């Protein structure tokens, strides 16, 4: 049987207001504020966030969506204070399944996720240049078959490894002419079946920039290389749920606090 508590205060400065079960645990709609300023407002089951709920963090980050047993699970939206945003599936406090990550720069990834990383089929679009990669990902990097399309109509279709062109592929120029190429970890080694010296394709630099396809994980002034990956993407990790406080945006089990209170 649920009861209502006007407000339950704790020695560390945190407090809870909402429904409690017969054991004194949050159960039903309730509001919890941690001493560090983090706030959860939503449904609870036996002392854990469960169902629909919103969590606003002192850092300025914000999550709204589904919870299960104190963890983000199901569909939810996470907003970072720096302007990044993720809309999609969650499991065990991690981005898992299908989701869209929009960066503050307006670059955008739409595809599959596994354990907070891009995994499987996905499309990454660079907002400023209009360039686009559509293909396979592994461990947050382009890996497998994929197509890189420039906004001017040129495109490369082929194999990738560790974010670099690796193996055989076909480059198609904006005028529609195409040539078969082979790469070794981002370096062009043959074109049209003929070896290429010093990685120089001999192509038209006005529409072709193979170096821009080398490592999109390294930020540079070139928009094609501005992948918003690396350290920036680490902000997408919200799985720290080991602390008794909400800490860095993870789920929380506060049942033990209520047991002590009761």
């Amino acid at each position: 049987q649920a009861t209502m508590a006007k407000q339950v205060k704790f020695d560390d400065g945190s407090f809870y207001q909402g429904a409690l079960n017969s054991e004194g645990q949050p159960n039903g709609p309730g509001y919890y504020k941690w001493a560090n300023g983090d706030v959860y407002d939503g449904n609870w089951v036996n002392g854990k966030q469960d169902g629909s709920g919103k969590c606003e963090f002192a850092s300025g980050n914000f999550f709204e969506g589904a919870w299960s047993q104190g963890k983000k699970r199901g569909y939810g939206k996470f907003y970072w204070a720096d302007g990044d945003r993720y809309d999609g599936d969650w499991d065990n406090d991690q981005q898992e399944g299908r989701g869209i990550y929009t960066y503050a720069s307006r670059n955008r990834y739409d595809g599959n996720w596994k354990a907070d990383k891009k995994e499987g089929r996905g499309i990454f679009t660079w907002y400023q240049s209009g360039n686009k990669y559509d293909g396979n990902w592994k461990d947050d990097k382009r890996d497998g078959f994929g197509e890189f399309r420039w906004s001017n109509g040129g495109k490369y279709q082929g194999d990738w490894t560790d974010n670099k062109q690796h193996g055989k592929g076909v480059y198609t120029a904006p005028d529609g002419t195409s040539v078969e190429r082979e790469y070794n970890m981002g370096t062009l080694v043959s074109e049209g079946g003929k070896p290429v010296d010093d990685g120089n394709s001999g192509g038209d630099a006005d529409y072709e920039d193979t170096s821009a396809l080398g490592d999109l994980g390294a930020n540079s002034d070139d928009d094609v290389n501005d992948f918003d990956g690396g350290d920036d993407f680490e902000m997408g990790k919200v799985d720290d749920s080991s602390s008794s406080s909400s800490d860095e945006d993870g789920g929380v089990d506060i049942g033990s606090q209520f047991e002590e209170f009761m």
Side-chain angles (χ1 to χ4, degrees), residues 145-148 150 154-159 165 167-173 176-183:
F145 183 82
E147 174 184 283
F148 191 98
W150 286 268
K155 65 180 180 180
Y156 173 80
Q157 296 170 303
D159 294 326
Q165 297 150 293
K168 294 183 178 180
V170 176
Y171 173 77
T172 302
T177 60
S178 61
V179 61
E180 185 175 297
R181 291 179 168 178
E182 186 172 356
Y183 287 84

Side-chain angles (χ1 to χ4, degrees), residues 25 30 39 86 88 124 177 193 196 199 211 213 224 227:
Q25 298 172 321
V39 172
Y86 173 80
F124 196 102
T177 60
V196 174
S211 64
L213 290 173
V224 175
F227 182 57

